[in-house]
């Protein structure tokens, strides 16, 4: 479970991409792919099978890559652990952060080329920024690590936010009510801009670390260091005081302006629905720094790379949270069908009746996004939705085992919550204090602690897991079927 040795396969983005290529998991796409829709369409078709590498999309010199962490097994591999140890390893890193190591500007690959923004520069000309989904309102940066410093403490925060590039040097950003927004509000109250950096082309482990659910004033780059097993090299931005991963491909330096809001959206989000257009905060860009030949990373929204980067750190947090109160909790999984956020499956060793309902209530309290919790026994694999459904089919009775809580806070991106607030058919979005209100549902799909005979024993065939089919099957054998007459 300890992750003290560096995971060299994922030291930086290029090392990881080379590893994927060497193992036939990177598809090189022919030149000229249109940035509008076509690039995302190709990447989506390859999602979960191969990373897509676009050499020269729409004539751009900068290649685009997508889908390089689109399988759970690949993420475990990048971390250098078995899949079964993935959550424990992430949790260990989150609980044992490693402070970063600052390098001199001349040593940082991400600052090999520095461009100060002036009226001759246009982000959409400088960078190959794709437009992803059908109703998206233009090009979006979807894999940008947004890094800012707490104005009060100086401690950094890292998050991935959707960013619409809607002007030559202007970008509108969605900030959910978390740490970055808190920093911005603190700066805005003093009528000051908040310095930010948007980092594109980070390594898989830094991307994963950015999604850790930690208290405010815990720099996610220190979790990235812990995942790497070595302090992360960072460098100070050229136009502000933010520190960014030195091995990144591209860094956009800028300021979140106080008291400025401009339209952003619609945009197709992780639940596979569009967020409506709203007025959002704005970043004005001061400089762009890159490697000599940078690679641009885009995440296709709602596809596996997007879902897994969010769900694995959340699973690790949920598991740690539940195990503090319920030692019988063995494993958790945020299902893919539940968009990696809403539906939690919990594997639980029950000792007393009623305990699963306590687990359900604990899970609802752990994160507001959790909408449905299914608790199953030890003999059910929570990573297999078919097995979970089997447990519900055979161990659950709705009048006895169902928990429903109405009118709780849920995900604002869940479109069914707009019905609850009465805004599904309105042109105006609900006011913020009415957004995301919905119900919670918990299912206790565990069998009774005490039961007679084999009434709740799962059927298994002795030796089924140990059979070595290669030893049993005769290679190239052909059965002679002649002599079987058929009457017509
Ligand atoms: Mn944070």
């Amino acid at each position: 479970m300890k992750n003290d040795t560096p995971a060299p396969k994922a030291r930086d983005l290029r090392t990881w991409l080379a590893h994927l290529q060497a193992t036939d998991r990177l598809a090189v796409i022919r030149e000229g792919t249109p940035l509008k829709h076509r690039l995302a369409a190709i990447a989506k078709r390859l999602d979960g099978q191969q990373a897509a590498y676009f050499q020269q999309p729409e004539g751009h010199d900068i290649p685009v890559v997508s889908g390089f962490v689109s399988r759970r097994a690949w993420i475990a591999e990048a971390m250098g652990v078995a899949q079964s140890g993935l959550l424990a390893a992430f949790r260990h890193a989150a609980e044992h952060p490693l402070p970063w190591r600052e390098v001199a500007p001349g040593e940082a690959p991400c600052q090999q080329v520095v461009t100060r923004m002036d009226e001759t520069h246009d982000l959409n000309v400088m960078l190959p920024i794709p437009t992803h989904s059908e109703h998206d309102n233009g090009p979006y940066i979807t894999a940008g690590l947004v890094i800012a410093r707490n104005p009060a403490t100086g401690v950094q925060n890292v998050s991935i936010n959707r960013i619409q590039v809607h002007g030559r040097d202007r970008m509108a950003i969605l900030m959910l009510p978390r740490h970055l927004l808190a920093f911005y509000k603190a700066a805005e109250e003093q009528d000051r801009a908040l310095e930010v950096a948007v980092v594109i082309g980070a390594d898989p482990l830094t991307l994963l670390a950015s999604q850790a659910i930690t208290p405010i004033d815990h720099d996610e780059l220190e979790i990235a260091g812990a995942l790497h097993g070595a302090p992360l090299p960072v460098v100070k931005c050229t136009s502000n005081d933010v520190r960014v991963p030195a091995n990144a491909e591209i860094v956009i330096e800028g300021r979140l302006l106080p008291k400025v809001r401009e339209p952003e959206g619609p945009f197709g989000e992780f639940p596979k629905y569009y967020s409506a257009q709203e007025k959002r905060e704005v970043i004005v860009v001061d400089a762009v720094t890159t490697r000599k030949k940078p690679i641009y990373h885009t995440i296709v929204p709602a596809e596996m790379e997007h879902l897994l980067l969010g769900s694995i750190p959340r699973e690790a947090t949920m598991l740690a949270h539940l195990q503090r109160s319920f030692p019988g909790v063995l494993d958790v999984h945020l299902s893919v069908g539940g968009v990696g956020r809403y539906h939690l499956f919990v594997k639980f060793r029950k000792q007393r009746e009623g305990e699963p309902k306590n687990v359900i209530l604990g899970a609802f309290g752990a994160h507001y996004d959790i909408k449905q919790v299914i608790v199953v026994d030890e003999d059910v694999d929570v990573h297999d939705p078919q097995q979970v459904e089997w447990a519900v089919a055979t161990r659950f009775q709705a009048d006895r085992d169902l928990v429903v809580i109405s009118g709780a806070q849920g995900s604002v991106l869940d479109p069914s919550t707009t019905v609850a607030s009465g805004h599904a058919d309105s042109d105006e979005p609900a006011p913020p204090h009415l957004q995301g209100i919905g119900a919670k549902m918990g299912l206790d799909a565990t069998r009774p602690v005490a039961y007679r005979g084999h009434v709740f024993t799962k059927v298994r065939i002795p030796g089924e897991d140990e059979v070595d089919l290669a030893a049993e099957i005769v290679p190239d054998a052909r059965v002679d079927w002649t002599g079987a007459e058929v009457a017509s």
Side-chain angles (χ1 to χ4, degrees):
M1 121 157 36
K2 275 198 84 196
N3 193 27
D4 281 345
T5 49
K9 284 174 191 159
R11 196 182 58 227
D12 61 13
L13 177 58
R14 285 152 192 257
T15 314
W16 179 245
L17 295 180
H19 174 64
L20 289 184
Q21 183 168 47
T23 48
D24 200 25
R25 286 178 285 177
L26 183 127
V28 178
I29 311 299
R30 63 188 167 91
E31 294 173 1
T33 306
L35 288 169
K36 186 172 181 183
H37 301 154
R38 185 80 189 163
L39 184 147
I42 294 168
K44 180 170 176 172
R45 287 286 293 274
L46 288 167
D47 185 50
Q49 304 161 54
Q50 286 185 304
Y53 184 83
F54 301 86
Q55 307 175 77
Q56 286 198 326
E58 219 167 284
H60 261 276
D61 286 338
I62 300 178
V64 176
V65 69
S66 185
F68 57 77
V69 281
S70 61
R71 271 178 183 258
R72 212 178 168 81
W74 298 7
I75 293 177
E77 196 179 338
M79 287 169 65
V81 298
Q83 252 192 96
S84 57
L86 210 167
L87 300 188
F90 188 85
R91 177 181 177 180
H92 185 266
E95 289 173 356
H96 301 85
L98 267 186
W100 33 256
R101 173 173 68 85
E102 187 159 349
V103 303
E107 296 168 30
C110 72
Q111 292 181 347
Q112 284 168 348
V113 180
V114 177
T115 307
R116 303 250 158 262
M117 291 298 280
D118 60 34
E119 55 286 348
T120 67
H121 293 114
D122 183 336
L123 279 173
N124 272 309
V125 175
M126 297 165 75
L127 300 174
I129 308 172
T131 299
H132 299 88
S133 302
E134 184 181 7
H135 298 296
D136 282 4
N137 186 17
Y140 268 78
I141 296 170
T142 58
L145 298 178
V146 182
I147 308 182
R149 306 170 76 217
N150 187 336
T153 65
V155 179
Q156 297 202 141
N157 188 73
V158 189
S159 56
I160 300 179
N161 304 65
R162 71 173 196 240
I163 297 171
Q164 182 181 357
V165 180
H166 66 299
R168 194 181 53 71
D169 63 350
R170 281 173 102 78
M171 320 191 287
I173 177 172
L174 170 67
M175 293 186 283
L176 293 175
R178 292 198 278 261
H179 304 152
L180 177 65
L181 185 63
F183 295 0
Y184 172 74
K185 294 270 186 209
E188 189 181 41
E189 253 169 42
Q190 300 176 345
D191 210 20
R192 287 166 50 185
L194 182 73
E195 296 176 344
V196 295
V198 180
V199 177
I200 300 165
D203 67 85
L205 302 185
T206 302
L207 282 162
L208 199 64
S210 77
Q211 299 306 294
I213 297 170
T214 58
I216 201 162
D217 280 347
H218 284 64
D219 185 343
E220 286 82 358
L221 292 184
E222 298 191 348
I223 298 172
L227 287 174
H228 279 284
L232 194 76
V234 302
V235 67
K236 191 176 104 55
C237 282
T238 63
S239 65
N240 64 42
D241 284 336
V242 175
R243 266 61 169 188
V244 293
N247 288 322
E249 297 287 329
I250 298 164
V251 180
I252 301 173
E253 303 178 358
R255 286 162 290 138
L256 263 162
L257 302 175
K259 303 191 171 73
V260 175
R261 302 290 187 275
E262 290 170 9
E264 180 270 335
F267 177 73
E269 261 289 359
F270 73 81
K272 304 187 200 289
Y273 293 96
Y274 293 91
S275 296
Q277 184 168 96
E278 288 191 52
K279 290 200 162 171
R280 307 283 187 201
E281 292 78 3
V282 173
I283 297 172
V284 64
V285 178
D286 297 314
V288 176
T289 77
T290 69
R291 286 175 177 253
K292 275 192 197 107
K293 297 181 93 180
I295 302 169
Y296 183 96
H297 176 208
T298 200
I299 292 173
V300 179
E303 296 309 305
M304 286 311 293
E305 185 168 52
H306 189 184
L307 298 185
L308 286 171
L309 282 172
S311 67
I312 288 169
R314 281 162 187 254
E315 288 172 353
T317 304
M318 292 301 299
L319 184 61
H321 174 88
L322 288 175
Q323 285 180 335
R324 270 193 278 277
S325 306
F326 311 105
V329 169
L330 304 173
D331 197 6
V332 300
H333 180 52
L334 288 160
S335 66
V336 174
V339 297
R341 306 284 192 282
Y342 298 167
H343 291 181
L344 184 76
F345 301 158
V346 183
K347 184 193 277 208
F348 183 58
R349 187 188 295 129
K350 180 169 76 167
Q351 288 177 317
R352 303 162 77 105
E353 296 303 336
E355 284 177 337
K357 286 186 179 164
N358 298 60
V359 172
I360 287 166
L361 295 171
F364 291 155
H367 199 290
Y368 60 81
D369 274 350
I370 302 289
K371 184 180 184 183
Q372 178 182 307
V373 178
I374 302 179
V375 183
V376 297
D377 295 296
E378 287 171 84
D379 61 344
V380 177
D381 179 1
V382 288
H383 294 276
D384 180 352
Q386 203 165 315
Q387 286 194 37
V388 173
E389 187 177 8
W390 169 80
V392 173
T394 59
R395 297 177 179 179
F396 167 84
Q397 288 295 330
D399 59 347
R400 182 190 66 202
D401 300 320
L402 178 68
V403 179
V404 176
I405 292 163
S406 310
Q409 185 56 230
S411 165
V412 299
L413 296 175
D414 169 4
S416 64
T417 66
T418 62
V419 180
S421 67
H423 280 76
D425 61 351
S426 167
D427 288 336
E428 288 296 311
H433 71 282
L434 291 180
Q435 288 180 8
I437 297 168
K440 309 290 183 192
M441 174 163 79
L443 290 80
D444 172 1
T446 59
R447 59 191 170 186
V449 172
Y451 56 87
R452 214 162 41 78
H454 294 305
V455 64
F456 280 106
T457 305
K458 187 180 188 178
V459 171
R460 69 180 293 274
I461 297 171
E464 64 182 18
D465 297 330
E466 290 78 43
V467 167
D468 177 6
L469 283 178
E472 303 292 339
I473 295 171
V474 184
D476 303 320
R478 285 287 170 273
V479 176
D480 180 4
W481 302 109
T482 56
E485 269 98 46
V486 178
S488 55

